[in-house]
Amino acid sequence: MALQTAVQLTGEDLTIDDVWSVAVERMPATLTEGARAKIIAARELVERALHGKQEHTYGINTGFGRFVSKSIPAELSTELQLRLLRSHACGVGEPYPDEVVRAAMLLRANALAKGYSGARPQTVELLMECLNRGLVPHVPSRGSVGASGDLAPLAHLALPLVGEGEAWVEGRRLGGGEALGAVGLEPLVLEAKEGLSLINGTQFMAALGSLGLVRARRLAKTADIACSLSLEALQGSRTSFLPQIHAARPLPGQIDSAANVLHLLEGSAIIESHRWCDKVQDAYSLRCSPQVHGASRDLLAYVETTFATELNAATDNPLVLVEDELLVSNGNFHGQPLAFALDALAMAVSELANISERRVERLVNPSLSDGLPAFLTADGGLNSGFMIPQYVAASLVSENKSLCHPASVDSIPTSAGQEDHVSMGNAAGLKAWQVVGNVERVLAIELLAGAQAVEFLAPLEPGAGARVARNAVRSFSPRLLDDRSLAPEIEAAADAIRDGSFVAAVEAETGELR
């Protein structure tokens, strides 16, 4: 099968994995001829509305927000669009990560390709050329209330297309016009409705959710892998993972998580060695991990359904309905579905860290670890071993509890009461992004601790999957003998979880996990 060399934008079938490929792995994106035809048809309808009978059509011959009743003459239609971008580009704070901006560029281009927006083909193509040539607009991350879409962030994203704003090119922060020139492009002059078509949408919320979800999928598998390694080290039982148990409570995520752990434990000499011991039950952080990990997986399935739909949704206002020859005001830009899903994303992955930190505590606490040396060091006192990594995990888990307070239940009126209910979806997305990063680090700590712990049981070896996981950890974190700073190794493990290389290394030996 030929490898995919570019993501083809149709406005209909973009996937979450496509977003990762373009935003993170820098695969190029191209516009299909079918999408171009839809863009042209929508543009022709906008042109007819602009030059036809003078009805009020929002964003074409009217002001914006509370100024919707203000008529704008046709000769000022281009000026209206430019001033829209300038006025709305007032975001503040640190910028979004580059991959989030690139994802938002892709998603905005795909929304325009759907043919409900009315932008010209050359406007869409310039946006895509900026993306493909490595121009990344500088977009402050605070300022969107997630109602009329992500207005402030998308305005910052769009300004470089007209030679204004700021953008990054090869690590240099340049003015918009200079940035375009650095990648061999020229600014365009916006025409009727095009400014509105560039900024009225949910693309930053959708970018945070899509990229966060790819990372969350990896976290779900990593949690099962880390659990298998900790269970081996703590000499737990495999019987809690038997499929008959989970068939009696047939929640999909629970069934899949249990199957993963059971598979990773296959052939364990450690488990076989204590089959007839007098321990009756393991702690909940081991025995109930399928129920907890599985609940997170099921919540992520809801999140995925929401974002998979949103990637190919028309979220402009007004919408250009070509077949009906209508330009209609609507509320598809409202971010409430995404705000709920982003809060759910944060909660789902946060719980993976909550239970992981409890397993780390059992590994390092000699009162709970079934014979492992205190803090996983053979020379305790002179060495502190894994004492402080558990502190770090506890700190991150506690921070997540605050971050998981839902933003989606908040609202505050804007635009003099015209926009009287908002989603706060951008806030939900920023919090979810932070939580995902924290969870990657907590699971990294469990992997390092589990690899250290299981080696104290030598010459007994863990199951094949857990053994592969330990070896993968050892590729970036040697066994801890005398104390050293583990901070770089925790980050290296978190990076391997984030980019998928850790799970890929395990699956290369064990087969694909569920």
Side-chain angles (χ1 to χ4, degrees), residues 6 105 132 145 189 206 234 236 284 315 323 325 330 364 379 385 427 434 454 461 481 488 507:
M105 294 169 76
N132 290 335
V145 294
V189 176
L234 293 165
Y284 285 8
T315 55
E323 292 185 3
E325 295 198 357
N330 71 99
V364 303
D379 191 10
Q434 182 63 47
V454 80
E461 282 288 320
L481 299 174
E507 291 184 326

Side-chain angles (χ1 to χ4, degrees), residues 203-263:
Q203 280 66 49
F204 274 93
M205 290 178 277
L208 288 163
S210 299
L211 298 179
L213 186 58
V214 172
R215 292 165 66 180
R217 290 174 184 161
R218 293 167 179 168
L219 284 170
K221 288 186 177 183
T222 301
D224 292 342
I225 296 168
C227 177
S228 72
L229 199 52
S230 295
L231 188 135
E232 294 269 23
L234 293 165
Q235 302 177 67
S237 172
R238 68 189 293 275
T239 57
S240 298
F241 302 89
L242 293 175
Q244 304 93 299
I245 295 170
H246 305 286
R249 191 193 198 188
L251 294 166
Q254 179 177 326
I255 290 171
D256 288 346
S257 178
N260 283 344
V261 176
L262 196 63
H263 176 57

Side-chain angles (χ1 to χ4, degrees), residues 151-437:
L151 292 174
L154 285 169
H156 283 280
L157 185 148
L159 271 177
L161 303 182
V162 298
E164 299 189 13
E166 295 181 306
W168 294 89
V169 177
E170 295 182 347
R172 295 181 298 151
R173 184 173 173 179
L174 306 172
E178 187 180 1
L180 285 175
V183 296
L185 298 171
E186 295 183 356
L188 55 76
V189 176
L190 296 176
E191 295 191 0
K193 196 184 179 295
E194 288 196 301
L196 192 59
S197 294
L198 287 166
I199 72 170
N200 214 327
T202 60
Q203 280 66 49
F204 274 93
M205 290 178 277
L208 288 163
S210 299
L211 298 179
L213 186 58
V214 172
R215 292 165 66 180
R217 290 174 184 161
R218 293 167 179 168
L219 284 170
K221 288 186 177 183
T222 301
D224 292 342
I225 296 168
C227 177
S228 72
L229 199 52
S230 295
L231 188 135
E232 294 269 23
L234 293 165
Q235 302 177 67
S237 172
R238 68 189 293 275
T239 57
S240 298
F241 302 89
L242 293 175
Q244 304 93 299
I245 295 170
H246 305 286
R249 191 193 198 188
L251 294 166
Q254 179 177 326
I255 290 171
D256 288 346
S257 178
N260 283 344
V261 176
L262 196 63
H263 176 57
L264 293 162
L265 297 174
E266 285 179 6
S268 171
I270 294 172
I271 288 177
E272 184 62 28
S273 72
H274 61 82
R275 175 183 289 196
W276 309 113
C277 71
D278 58 1
K279 185 191 293 185
V280 177
Q281 292 183 333
D282 292 323
Y284 285 8
S285 58
L286 299 173
R287 181 169 28 125
C288 300
S289 66
Q291 289 78 7
V292 177
H293 294 185
S296 291
R297 284 167 168 263
D298 290 340
L299 191 51
L300 290 174
Y302 147 69
V303 175
E304 181 155 359
T305 296
T306 299
F307 283 103
T309 301
E310 190 73 6
L311 300 188
N312 298 291
T315 55
D316 286 27
N317 179 45
L319 283 177
V320 181
L321 304 181
V322 174
E323 292 185 3
D324 301 301
E325 295 198 357
L326 291 174
L327 276 77
V328 290
S329 293
N330 71 99
N332 274 5
F333 50 70
H334 202 292
Q336 197 66 42
L338 304 189
F340 280 146
L342 287 161
D343 279 336
L345 171 62
M347 290 188 288
V349 297
S350 178
E351 203 57 27
L352 297 176
N354 277 351
I355 195 169
S356 171
E357 184 277 331
R358 290 293 80 200
R359 293 192 293 262
V360 173
E361 166 67 7
R362 301 195 78 81
L363 290 168
V364 303
N365 186 336
S367 300
L368 302 173
S369 66
D370 201 19
L372 293 173
F375 304 107
L376 304 179
T377 179
D379 191 10
L382 179 63
N383 288 313
S384 295
F386 274 77
M387 180 186 297
I388 306 306
Q390 186 269 327
Y391 288 26
V392 175
S395 170
L396 294 171
V397 164
S398 186
E399 180 182 342
N400 285 349
K401 293 171 186 175
S402 296
L403 291 169
C404 284
H405 179 85
S408 55
V409 298
D410 188 21
S411 179
I412 190 167
T414 58
S415 195
Q418 175 77 3
E419 298 162 6
D420 58 354
H421 181 278
V422 301
S423 76
M424 296 302 178
N426 187 64
L430 293 170
K431 293 194 300 96
W433 192 259
Q434 182 63 47
V435 171
V436 168

Side-chain angles (χ1 to χ4, degrees), residues 389 441 444 448 473 476-478 484-496:
R441 293 175 173 90
L448 266 61
V473 171
F476 44 72
S477 178
R484 63 178 183 268
S485 172
L486 289 176
E489 293 163 45
I490 293 169
E491 291 294 349
D495 288 344

